[in-house]
């Protein structure tokens, strides 16, 4: 049998995931389980880069993300699901890599300046924030992952990871493969108000929403404002409901034709989308309910995950230390 490629990817624990996260990153991660050996990491140290001041909700957020992962279909029997801070080797490797990473490389990473601009006024221009992509590199290299599924915004981090791997290999002998980013095709998922779905806009449909809640949110969606009567022909291209069908890649010609031909009213059209979305999310919702009542199962999954991850990361670090002559005298 051909040796499977190895994937590592990470997600910051920022709370419950929404439909946009699911149709984008997460469903892709689920599919990749068939093809790769997968390590999926909840990167709580990375979350500190922006949220170090108030850490009170960290455990709750880790739990929420894990529940979302599992209910969306990440399978702890096939993939290693773990928390970054449970595997201390990430910190050691981050330190080692930081020594050989030129300051100019991290300073030019565009996400750094962007973050500072976006979160202006808060003291986040920290040492840790500058090192964020080096820590990410450590996450990836600790598993010698060859493939990293990410969104487009993360490509500069992947580029840096490759440069650091190359530099390490050049200085001390080859230990790391150069990880390749694998772009996730992210469909443009609108929020219920027609803007991009985003927690900061408060326009999300969450994986945790009950079917009734999903239907209710769909009823509130903004449609073509000029369609007042059912007999008015509609313009699907400016309608949020239609944009959802597009994101789902379902029933497009049919919805469009009925809308333009004024053969369905917006209330009915929304009702249908409500059914489509709530039945899509219903199994996820039920799995979540089961997991919520089972904290022991969650803890066991993470314990087993960090055991497996730790084994791999320890072996890598041993090799690193040997290559760098850090194994004692
Ligand atoms: N920086 C990534 C993000 O914000 C999260 C992340 C941390 C990550 N470590 C990683 C992604 C390793 C891929 C691989 O989305
Ligand atoms: Fe949107 Fe459907 Fe109304 Fe057309 S009929 S405007 S697609 S809700």
């Amino acid at each position: 049998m051909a040796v499977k490629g190895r994937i590592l990817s990470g997600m910051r624990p920022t709370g419950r995931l929404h439909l946009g996260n699911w149709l984008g990153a997460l469903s892709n991660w689920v599919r990749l389980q068939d093809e790769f050996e997968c390590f999926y990491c909840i990167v709580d140290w990375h979350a500190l880069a922006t949220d170090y001041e108030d850490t009170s909700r960290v455990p709750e957020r880790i739990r929420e993300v894990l529940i979302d992962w599992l209910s969306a279909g990440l399978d702890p029997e096939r993939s290693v699901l773990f928390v970054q801070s449970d595997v201390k080797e990430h910190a050691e490797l981050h330190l080692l890599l930081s020594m050989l990473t030129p300051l100019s490389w991290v300073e030019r990473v565009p996400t750094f300046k962007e973050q500072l601009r976006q979160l202006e006024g808060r003291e986040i221009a920290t040492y840790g924030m500058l090192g964020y992509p080096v820590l990410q590199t450590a996450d990836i290299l600790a598993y010698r992952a060859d493939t990293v599924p990410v969104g487009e915004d993360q490509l500069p981090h992947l580029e840096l990871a490759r440069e650091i791997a190359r530099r390490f290999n050049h200085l001390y002998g080859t230990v790391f493969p150069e990880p390749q980013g694998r772009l996730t095709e992210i469909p443009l998922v609108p929020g219920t108000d027609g803007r991009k779905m985003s927690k900061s806009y408060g326009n999300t449909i969450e994986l945790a929403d009950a079917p009734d809640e999903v239907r209710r949110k769909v009823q509130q969606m903004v449609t073509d404002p000029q369609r007042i009567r059912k007999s008015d022909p509609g313009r699907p291209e400016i309608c949020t409901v239609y944009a959802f069908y597009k994101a789902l890649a379902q029933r497009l010609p049919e919805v469009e034709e009925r809308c333009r031909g004024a053969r369905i009213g917006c209330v009915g059209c929304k009702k249908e989308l409500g059914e489509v979305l709530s039945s899509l999310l219903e199994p996820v919702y039920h799995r979540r309910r089961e997991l919520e009542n089972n904290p022991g199962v969650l803890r066991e999954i993470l314990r087993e995950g960090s055991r497996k991850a730790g084994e791999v990361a320890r072996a890598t670090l041993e090799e690193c230390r040997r290559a760098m002559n850090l194994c004692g005298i």
Side-chain angles (χ1 to χ4, degrees), residues 8-12 43 46 132 136 139-140 148 150 154 157:
L8 178 124
S9 201
M11 211 180 265
R12 279 173 296 133
V43 291
H46 276 112
Y132 183 108
Q136 180 166 351
D139 297 339
I140 298 165
V148 183
V150 285
Q154 294 292 310
H157 292 177

Side-chain angles (χ1 to χ4, degrees), residues 26 49 63 65 92 102 108 124 139-140 151-152 156 184 190 204 207 223-224 229 236 278 281 329:
L26 195 50
R63 189 170 152 269
V65 169
E92 183 181 355
R108 71 163 189 244
I124 59 151
D139 297 339
I140 298 165
E152 194 156 18
T184 309
T204 59
L207 291 192
T223 63
D224 178 354
R229 281 173 299 269
S278 59
L281 287 172
I329 54 172

Side-chain angles (χ1 to χ4, degrees), residues 236 239 241-260:
C239 171
V241 173
Y242 185 73
F244 257 88
Y245 279 112
K246 223 178 197 167
L248 295 168
Q250 274 186 35
R251 300 182 51 189
L252 278 179
E254 178 194 344
V255 175
E256 175 170 6
E257 199 206 75
R258 287 193 310 184
C259 176
R260 288 196 201 286

Side-chain angles (χ1 to χ4, degrees), residues 12 46-53 111-126 129 132 200:
R12 279 173 296 133
H46 276 112
L48 295 179
T50 47
D51 291 305
Y52 65 89
E53 285 164 305
T111 42
F112 179 61
K113 286 173 233 144
E114 235 162 74
Q115 280 278 3
L116 299 192
R117 211 174 317 118
Q118 269 183 21
L119 301 175
E120 212 184 280
R122 287 178 50 203
E123 187 51 83
I124 59 151
T126 60
M129 181 59 103
Y132 183 108
S200 51

Side-chain angles (χ1 to χ4, degrees), residues 310-326:
E311 229 167 71
V312 176
R314 267 194 302 283
T316 309
L317 263 291
E318 232 159 79
E319 207 171 304
C320 263
R321 285 183 217 114
R322 209 174 315 123
M324 293 179 82
N325 300 306
L326 297 169

